[in-house]
Amino acid sequence: MKLTPSILTVCIGVLPLNVFAAAFQLAEHSATGLGRAFAGEAAIADSAAVVARNPALMSLFKNAELSISGTYISPDVSVVGESAPAYSSAAALDQDSIAPEAFIPAIYYVTPINEKVALGFGVFSNFGLATEFSDDYAAGQLAGTSEITTVNFNASVSYQLNANWSAGLGLNYIYADANLVRHFGDNPLGLPAQTEAVNLEGDDSGYGWNVGVAYEIAKGSRLGLQYRSKTTINFDGDYSNQLPAALGGLEGTVLPGTLELELPATAEFSGVHLIDEQWTFNYSVVWTQWSSFESLEAYVSSSETPAFTKQENFSNSFRYAIGGSYQLDKNTILRAGVAYDTTPTDDGHLSISIPDSNRKWLSVGASYILDETSSVDMGFSVIKGSEQTFSEADNLGSQWGFRTSGDATIFSAQYNHKF
């Protein structure tokens, strides 16, 4: 069956561009970092998780070290209806807990080769999301199931240039899996609300690189700078919809489809400064190049012409964090930090599929040395997002009004072992 551009506009056009907003980016690489709101990550070498942030810091390790962490995220994201077309109601748009709980594991290993060279390996995630609305949600063309999972396999090497400078380089293999489902919801066509307007799923992999430098100002004080390249993922998978053939739909027929997604480049500048024998102060500024995400294009079957194109106005985003640690006794370190995340979206591109806003972080954490070779870390964060009010149009031309709010709590635990 030939798929016409008009039907593609209805079916593929419901793809939520804000799936790839700041909420798609993950910072949760370690429990040590979470405890200080990830302040100082590109300059602090307190666990093998440096592989995920600044490979240059591996040169500071005198022994091989293994770090295993698990992070539990409990989001509280809700949508309240403000307005709806005549054939529906604003109250039908209310939905709580649209973002499910998540668990993010990670593992890292660093081993010195000699006095100057160290190698590191890590398996972690830099991007991921999930939101779920009910199948009969009134504005089903705008939000349904949105899921993407990425796994980053990172191999790194560092080199101690001199007493003050070190540098590191990493190569990354990223695997990604995505699933997106939209339903027609309340509609003027008389279709059942659960009718699938689009079902896209696929996976792919890509490659990237990262580089970092670290400068030792004095014992206990250090600056770090790292850069992680963008990675292009070309999702290959299946596309279908349940639109009746009389309306030009597929009635469940599956076609091959592709969708290109660019994971943006990031850079981070950090500092850590020893105040005295007990207090340490640290800070970070993280830049994410969301401006490189200019449009989203979807292709179906063998056509070389985009079946759907939509322009975006994403801006580069920043994350600012400050924190500190306190050496309570010879075995215990306490941590705390605050951070502020800015969103790359503008007021003209807000969406309920992934409600995004500026966010504030408040974090605490602790480390405890079990023995000469083992230690454990814990971190806890409360994240508060800004409330947003906006309207969004579906592909049948109907306008829906929403008020969204989103908070989250995060807990992370980590085990470290020196060999």
Side-chain angles (χ1 to χ4, degrees):
M1 173 182 179
K2 184 178 180 181
L3 202 61
T4 65
S6 61
I7 293 302
L8 285 172
T9 301
V10 172
C11 299
I12 301 178
V14 300
L15 191 63
L17 298 190
N18 283 12
V19 162
F20 315 122
F24 177 61
Q25 188 173 4
L26 298 174
E28 292 76 17
H29 296 135
S30 69
T32 47
L34 183 66
R36 54 176 177 264
F38 300 105
E41 286 294 273
I44 300 177
D46 52 7
S47 79
V50 297
V51 173
R53 302 304 277 252
N54 187 352
L57 299 172
M58 298 189 305
S59 63
L60 301 176
F61 286 70
K62 304 304 179 184
N63 303 97
E65 185 167 335
L66 173 71
S67 294
I68 302 173
S69 71
T71 302
Y72 169 74
I73 302 176
S74 178
D76 180 14
V77 184
S78 62
V79 176
V80 176
E82 294 285 300
S83 62
Y87 54 81
S88 185
S89 67
L93 300 177
D94 296 353
Q95 184 131 4
D96 295 326
S97 303
I98 66 169
E101 299 171 346
F103 178 76
I104 305 173
I107 183 170
Y108 312 94
Y109 180 71
V110 173
T111 181
I113 301 302
N114 53 43
E115 292 183 355
K116 289 186 174 293
V117 179
L119 298 178
F121 305 91
V123 182
F124 53 94
S125 179
N126 284 324
F127 299 93
L129 67 90
T131 56
E132 298 175 356
F133 288 76
S134 58
D135 290 352
D136 61 351
Y137 186 63
Q141 295 183 59
L142 299 177
T145 297
S146 304
E147 297 178 346
I148 184 166
T149 301
T150 67
V151 182
N152 192 328
F153 300 87
N154 196 161
S156 303
V157 61
S158 68
Y159 184 77
Q160 186 75 43
L161 300 173
N162 54 43
N164 300 102
W165 287 94
S166 60
L169 174 68
L171 298 178
N172 300 266
Y173 170 81
I174 300 98
Y175 170 79
D177 181 88
N179 181 35
L180 183 136
V181 180
R182 294 291 179 268
H183 302 86
F184 271 93
D186 293 348
N187 63 88
L189 302 177
L191 296 171
Q194 297 90 343
T195 303
E196 286 187 358
V198 60
N199 189 319
L200 284 169
E201 60 178 331
D203 61 357
D204 190 38
S205 58
Y207 295 89
W209 53 272
N210 62 298
V211 63
V213 294
Y215 177 73
E216 196 85 11
I217 302 172
K219 184 177 180 180
S221 293
R222 187 181 309 112
L223 299 177
L225 178 65
Q226 67 88 16
Y227 176 85
R228 186 172 291 274
S229 73
K230 67 180 181 181
T231 301
T232 300
I233 304 291
N234 292 296
F235 288 102
D236 293 319
D238 298 326
Y239 164 76
S240 66
N241 66 63
Q242 295 175 341
L243 192 68
L247 297 176
L250 296 177
E251 291 188 327
T253 301
V254 178
L255 296 176
T258 62
L259 176 68
E260 182 178 286
L261 169 64
E262 186 174 281
L263 305 180
T266 63
E268 179 175 6
F269 173 75
S270 299
V272 55
H273 304 282
L274 184 66
I275 305 303
D276 56 32
E277 294 182 355
Q278 291 181 299
W279 290 96
T280 302
F281 173 70
N282 29 267
Y283 50 87
S284 283
V285 178
V286 180
W287 166 84
T288 303
Q289 194 183 15
W290 283 112
S291 62
S292 64
F293 183 55
E294 297 178 353
S295 65
L296 188 68
E297 296 181 343
Y299 295 80
V300 174
S301 298
S302 59
S303 174
E304 296 183 358
T305 302
F308 170 75
T309 300
K310 185 175 181 181
Q311 298 297 316
E312 272 293 346
N313 290 326
F314 276 31
S315 301
N316 297 334
S317 65
F318 288 87
R319 185 180 191 276
Y320 309 93
I322 58 173
S325 63
Y326 177 74
Q327 187 81 43
L328 182 64
D329 55 44
K330 65 177 183 178
N331 293 325
T332 308
I333 299 175
L334 304 180
R335 299 184 180 91
V338 295
Y340 183 72
D341 261 328
T342 64
T343 176
T345 59
D346 61 32
D347 292 340
H349 295 86
L350 299 177
S351 172
I352 59 167
S353 57
I354 298 294
D356 193 39
S357 68
N358 298 328
R359 294 170 298 278
K360 300 175 183 177
W361 291 58
L362 177 62
S363 303
V364 294
S367 292
Y368 185 77
I369 297 175
L370 300 174
D371 53 42
E372 293 181 354
T373 60
S374 302
S375 64
V376 293
D377 308 303
M378 291 183 292
F380 178 79
S381 290
V382 176
I383 304 174
K384 180 68 174 178
S386 303
E387 189 175 83
Q388 301 272 36
T389 300
F390 57 94
S391 63
E392 192 173 359
D394 63 27
N395 287 280
L396 297 177
S398 299
Q399 286 284 341
W400 307 80
F402 307 95
R403 185 173 75 253
T404 62
S405 60
D407 305 322
T409 56
I410 304 177
F411 175 77
S412 184
Q414 181 173 315
Y415 172 75
N416 311 293
H417 185 83
K418 295 180 180 180
F419 297 90

